[in-house]
């Protein structure tokens, strides 16, 4: 008699749900790797960097001790620092320092760009003149140059305009023409233009020559190619070094105090020569230099970001954007933890367990 299909004996049919022989003896990771149900992988524990944490702790400890010693040291006289920080003499010196920095950087880069173009020219005379200028002014200390220009009247007592080896239309005494401030501007500009020429030349050479060849193939003139194609791409290499030069020029203007130019440092020196508060007034100048340098560094960051637009598809987030995203993520996490019934297991679930 035939057996119905629904009452077929399954004793001889192998049980596919049973674990294979020896599965219980396998570790949990190997069992999970072979797809055996009912097993779980152990949690992944990140590697502990003890050396990194120890070095960070030591660095923070040294920083805390340094800040504590500076703040609690009565010799700094922070009350005197706060009293002279915004006086009229200090602010006037700060304004002159900022004016000197801006004027020297603008004039220096204008003249330096001309020198860089001369250095890259096919004319050997222009190349030689540009190289000689850069060689002379980079080989001479800035203080020596300033003192030389300040005493230029000893070499040329009068300056005039007229026919060469003929009558003079008018003459003027050099002492009356070149005052301390104008001498400082001339000396700093001639010095900075030598460095600016090398910065601009390096930026131009960093552009792929294929860009110039493509512009020439399109029939663009050399001047337009340099202004519209080469220079915008070269700015990615010029801006970081130019930012460093700007900050260096800001601090370098303090050297004009030897010419009795009333910059920030000279104004501070005049003040502490009267009240003998040397350390507090030097701290006033230091804090102002740090504040202005910080602002310039922030501006340099955004200028670099502007000229880096065509280099990558997406720009990295700014510090404000990173801070805003972190605050948003922290606010969302706090809202999740404090929301009733929406938190992780174990939080807010006891009230519902009694029901």
């Amino acid at each position: 008699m035939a057996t119905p299909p629904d009452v077929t004996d399954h004793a001889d049919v192998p049980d596919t749900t049973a674990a294979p022989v020896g599965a219980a003896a396998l570790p949990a990771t190997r069992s999970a790797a072979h797809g055996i149900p009912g097993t779980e992988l152990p949690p992944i524990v990140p590697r502990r960097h003890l050396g990194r944490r120890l070095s960070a702790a030591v660095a923070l400890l040294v920083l805390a001790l340094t800040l504590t010693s500076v703040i609690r040291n009565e010799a700094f006289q922070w009350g005197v620092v706060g009293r002279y920080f915004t006086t009229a003499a200090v602010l006037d010196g700060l304004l002159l320092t900022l004016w000197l920095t801006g004027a020297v950087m603008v004039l220096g880069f204008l003249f330096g760009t001309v020198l860089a173009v001369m250095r890259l020219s096919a004319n050997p005379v222009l190349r030689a003149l540009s190289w000689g200028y850069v060689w002379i002014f980079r080989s001479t200390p800035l203080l020596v140059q300033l003192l030389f220009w300040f005493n230029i009247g000893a070499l040329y007592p009068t300056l005039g305009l007229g026919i060469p080896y003929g009558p003079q239309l008018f003459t003027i005494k050099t002492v009356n023409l070149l005052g301390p401030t104008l001498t400082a501007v001339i000396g700093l500009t001639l010095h900075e233009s030598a460095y600016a020429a090398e910065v601009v030349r390096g930026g131009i050479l960093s552009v792929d020559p294929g860009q110039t060849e493509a512009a020439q193939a399109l029939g663009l003139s050399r001047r337009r190619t340099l202004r519209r194609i080469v220079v915008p791409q070269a700015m990615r290499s010029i801006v970081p070094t130019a930012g460093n030069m700007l900050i260096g020029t800001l601090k370098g203007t303090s050297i004009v105090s030897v010419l009795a130019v009333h910059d920030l440092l000279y104004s501070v020196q005049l003040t502490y020569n009267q009240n003998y508060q040397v350390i507090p007034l030097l701290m006033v100048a230091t804090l102002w230099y740090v504040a202005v340098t910080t602002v310039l560094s922030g501006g340099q960051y955004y200028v670099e970001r502007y000229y880096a637009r065509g280099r990558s598809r997406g720009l990295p987030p700014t510090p404000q954007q990173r801070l805003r995203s972190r605050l948003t993520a922290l606010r969302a996490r706090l809202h999740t933890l404090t929301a009733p019934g929406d938190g992780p297991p174990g939080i807010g679930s006891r009230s519902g367990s009694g029901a």
Side-chain angles (χ1 to χ4, degrees):
M1 184 175 176
T3 305
D6 54 346
V7 294
T8 304
D9 187 11
H10 295 278
D12 297 332
V13 180
D15 187 8
T16 57
T17 61
V21 178
L26 292 175
T29 55
R30 294 185 58 188
S31 301
H34 287 78
I36 299 174
T39 59
E40 296 180 357
L41 288 173
I44 299 176
V45 179
R47 180 182 177 183
R48 294 181 176 87
H49 300 277
L50 298 180
R52 184 185 303 173
R53 295 180 180 179
L54 180 61
S55 61
V58 171
L60 290 176
L61 178 61
V62 172
L63 178 62
L65 293 176
T66 304
L67 292 177
T68 302
S69 65
V70 170
I71 295 174
R72 301 183 63 180
N73 192 344
E74 297 180 357
F76 284 101
Q77 303 182 38
W78 295 109
V80 179
V81 173
R83 187 164 63 251
Y84 284 95
F85 192 72
T86 56
T87 57
V90 172
L91 294 180
D92 291 341
L94 176 64
L95 291 178
L96 182 58
T97 297
L98 296 177
W99 180 84
L100 276 176
T101 303
V104 168
M105 285 300 296
V106 171
L107 296 176
F109 264 91
L110 287 177
F111 192 28
T113 303
V114 175
L115 291 172
V117 174
M118 291 172 58
R119 186 75 180 275
L120 298 174
S121 174
N123 191 328
V125 176
L126 296 181
R127 289 202 309 268
L129 290 176
S130 177
W131 179 86
Y133 179 91
V134 173
W135 171 62
I136 288 293
F137 282 91
R138 288 202 308 175
S139 303
T140 311
L142 177 58
L143 181 58
V144 175
Q145 296 179 31
L146 290 176
L147 293 176
F148 179 84
W149 290 109
F150 189 70
N151 297 281
I152 194 65
L155 294 175
Y156 300 97
T158 59
L159 295 177
L161 179 64
I163 301 174
Y165 305 101
Q168 297 289 327
L169 299 179
F170 71 91
T171 59
I172 187 173
K173 291 185 178 181
T174 309
V175 178
N176 299 330
L177 179 62
L178 297 179
T181 303
L182 183 58
T183 302
V185 172
I186 293 175
L188 291 173
T189 299
L190 295 178
H191 177 78
E192 294 297 327
S193 61
Y195 289 91
E198 292 299 291
V199 171
V200 175
R201 186 176 70 91
I204 293 175
L205 293 177
S206 66
V207 180
D208 189 359
Q211 300 288 329
T212 305
E213 296 174 358
Q216 292 175 353
L218 293 175
L220 298 180
S221 63
R222 179 177 176 83
R223 180 180 302 178
R224 189 174 183 183
T225 300
L226 184 66
R227 182 172 56 91
R228 300 297 298 273
I229 296 177
V230 177
V231 172
Q233 298 183 61
M235 290 299 291
R236 291 200 297 264
S237 300
I238 293 175
V239 168
T241 311
N244 293 333
M245 283 186 59
L246 176 62
I247 295 174
T249 303
L250 171 70
K251 297 182 296 184
T253 53
S254 60
I255 203 172
V256 302
S257 59
V258 300
L259 306 181
V261 178
H262 289 259
D263 68 320
L264 177 59
L265 181 59
Y266 190 75
S267 301
V268 166
Q269 289 175 336
L270 289 180
T271 305
Y272 71 63
N273 285 333
Q274 297 174 359
N275 58 14
Y276 302 103
Q277 301 287 347
V278 179
I279 299 299
L281 285 165
L282 287 179
M283 286 302 301
V284 169
T286 301
L287 292 176
W288 272 119
Y289 280 120
V290 170
V292 177
T293 302
T294 303
V295 174
L296 294 179
S297 300
Q300 175 187 348
Y301 170 80
Y302 284 100
V303 173
E304 291 181 9
R305 180 182 173 86
Y306 174 80
Y307 283 104
R309 291 176 301 171
R311 185 175 57 182
S312 58
R313 292 181 179 272
L315 294 175
T318 62
Q320 292 83 357
Q321 292 174 348
R322 288 197 296 266
L323 179 61
R324 191 181 300 112
S325 63
R326 290 179 181 178
L327 291 177
T328 303
L330 180 61
R331 190 181 300 110
R333 184 176 180 182
L334 292 176
H335 178 73
T336 303
L337 293 176
T338 56
D342 295 335
I347 299 179
S349 58
R350 293 184 179 180
S351 59
S353 60

